[in-house]
Amino acid sequence: MPQPQHAAIIREYKALVEPYEGRGRSDAARIGLANIVSRYGASAVEAALAEHVAQYERRGL
């Protein structure tokens, strides 16, 4: 996946999903995630999030 697209997906995820998950608003988080998936495609979003999680695991967070 191109790095700029990966970064854009993660930025949108942090803006549209994480704030709502943190407040227990899973319904709003789901809508944000659906918007990201519709824009970039499921496989691109899955790959970007998998790499994002792997980065946290490598850092031991």
Side-chain angles (χ1 to χ4, degrees):
M1 166 186 327
Q3 202 60 23
Q5 184 182 34
H6 172 106
I9 290 170
I10 298 304
R11 270 193 311 276
E12 288 191 35
Y13 181 84
K14 288 181 176 183
L16 299 174
V17 178
E18 282 185 354
Y20 298 108
E21 283 183 335
R23 290 185 237 139
R25 301 257 339 267
S26 60
D27 55 336
R30 223 178 356 261
I31 292 169
L33 186 56
N35 286 329
I36 297 168
V37 168
S38 71
R39 182 173 297 127
Y40 296 101
S43 60
V45 173
E46 182 179 13
L49 291 176
E51 178 57 30
H52 188 63
V53 169
Q55 288 176 7
Y56 274 94
E57 289 175 344
R58 285 191 292 272
R59 293 180 196 153
L61 300 174

